[in-house]
Amino acid sequence: VLVHSRLPTVTELLCLMASSLYQEQFDPEVYIGTCFSVSNPHKPGQKSVDPLRIWSLIKFHQFYSTLSSNSAAENRLQILEFGGGPVIYSLISAAPYAERIVFSEFVGRNRDVVDSWRIRESNSHDFRSIFKTVVQSVEGRDDEEVEHREQELRDKIISVIPCDVRQDPPLDPSVQPGSYDVVSTHFCLAVACESVEMYAEALRKLSAYVRPGGYILSSDGLGQTFYTLGDARFPCLTINKEIIEKSLIDAGFTEEFRFHSLPLDLEISDGKEVAVFSARKCR
């Protein structure tokens, strides 16, 4: 008896190629060095946090502080970071309001960077400059709070686990659907998805983890087809505000859509803008 297996679609083949590209060529140290630091004009030889990243950090702080002021959220939020890469910058302002954070990432080397920092291994990456930027420059707190915040975030990230948005479910079954107040995902979906339909489906999958009345917080490049890290070139799905808003609504995020964007002009990307956006899941 002949059994004819289904041939993969073009989209499925592209997804497999992108998956292999990330596993083989994504270098977390190059990513951190390229995307999170620039030369400090006031202190030659020293690096500072990229101004574009500072803009995002301000938006994340505004999101969590507003969420806290509108509810009894302090120290109670259940947060899922999806596709977090090798960095924890988006969670620094979340830490005071979180009870626990599950951090997920596709590439094993990236998970290793975050887990090494979380458990204070001697050779772990030093994120202190980003903490100082958020706590002192964005939030206006003192140096003592910087060290406290770093330890607080370490304590509240309870696990670092694999994820894959192309799978269903995209996380281990032990991650319970409908149990998170915030799902946070940054510069992930547009690089993981090969079509607008796949992007919309990815948001539907993430929506399953958000409780009714909970939020999604995300950021991505707009009008972008690629970005580079060193010699590696990574393709991106071209999205815009209209695609994002429609996909969010279709995924059940029908309330409190907030969208902020900033023009981009980067050597490592052809993106036209960067956007930070959030929305609330219908109750």
Side-chain angles (χ1 to χ4, degrees), residues 14-279:
L14 289 172
C15 285
L16 288 171
M17 291 170 62
S19 171
S20 176
L21 181 66
Y22 271 88
Q23 294 286 14
E24 294 173 5
Q25 297 192 35
F26 191 96
D27 186 323
E29 293 302 327
V30 173
Y31 177 76
I32 294 170
T34 301
C35 298
F36 286 84
S37 62
V38 294
S39 297
N40 188 331
H42 305 294
K43 297 179 179 179
Q46 293 188 23
K47 295 285 188 177
S48 59
V49 178
D50 185 346
L52 176 63
R53 201 64 57 178
I54 294 175
W55 177 81
S56 298
L57 295 170
I58 292 170
K59 297 305 176 187
F60 301 152
H61 166 66
Q62 291 172 345
F63 171 82
Y64 285 107
S65 59
T66 300
L67 183 58
S68 174
S69 66
N70 291 339
S71 66
E74 191 162 1
N75 298 320
R76 296 182 181 178
L77 293 179
Q78 309 293 312
I79 299 176
L80 170 63
E81 180 76 11
F82 189 90
V87 290
I88 40 74
Y89 74 103
S90 64
L91 297 169
I92 298 172
S93 284
Y97 310 110
E99 181 178 353
R100 67 187 189 101
I101 300 168
V102 172
F103 186 101
S104 67
E105 164 56 14
F106 176 66
V107 178
R109 290 187 300 279
N110 292 344
R111 294 196 300 272
D112 291 343
V113 170
V114 174
D115 215 23
S116 175
W117 170 82
R118 182 176 71 99
I119 62 176
R120 284 183 171 271
E121 289 186 346
S122 59
N123 61 342
S124 64
H125 189 84
D126 183 2
F127 290 112
R128 181 57 63 92
S129 65
I130 301 178
F131 275 89
K132 287 175 72 71
T133 298
V134 173
V135 174
Q136 295 182 322
S137 302
V138 175
E139 298 180 4
R141 299 173 184 259
D142 59 26
D143 194 59
E144 185 177 330
E145 175 64 19
V146 175
E147 186 173 350
H148 170 75
R149 184 70 58 83
E150 194 165 2
Q151 187 57 47
E152 182 178 36
L153 185 54
R154 283 190 172 103
D155 293 340
K156 291 185 177 180
I157 296 177
I158 63 167
S159 59
V160 178
I161 63 173
C163 68
D164 187 345
V165 77
R166 295 154 309 174
Q167 301 300 316
D168 196 5
L171 292 159
D172 187 273
S174 64
V175 181
Q176 293 295 315
S179 59
Y180 291 91
D181 299 290
V182 179
V183 169
S184 168
T185 181
H186 304 280
F187 298 98
C188 168
L189 300 187
V191 300
C193 299
E194 301 292 337
S195 67
V196 171
E197 294 75 18
M198 188 178 175
Y199 178 84
E201 178 62 22
L203 283 172
R204 284 193 288 271
K205 290 176 183 178
L206 294 188
S207 177
Y209 293 98
V210 182
R211 66 166 179 81
Y215 292 81
I216 188 165
L217 172 64
S218 187
S219 53
D220 241 320
L222 307 183
Q224 182 171 278
T225 66
F226 76 91
Y227 74 96
T228 61
L229 290 179
D231 295 329
R233 180 183 173 106
F234 300 94
C236 301
L237 175 66
T238 302
I239 57 174
N240 55 36
K241 181 181 179 181
E242 290 71 27
I243 290 171
I244 291 168
E245 185 170 13
K246 182 180 185 307
S247 299
L248 286 170
I249 291 171
D250 290 346
F253 295 102
T254 58
E255 303 174 3
E256 300 180 28
F257 177 58
R258 302 285 186 269
F259 184 93
H260 311 274
S261 64
L262 194 70
L264 272 184
D265 183 15
L266 301 176
E267 293 183 1
I268 66 167
S269 165
D270 65 346
K272 305 300 185 293
E273 296 177 89
V274 62
V276 174
F277 52 94
S278 61

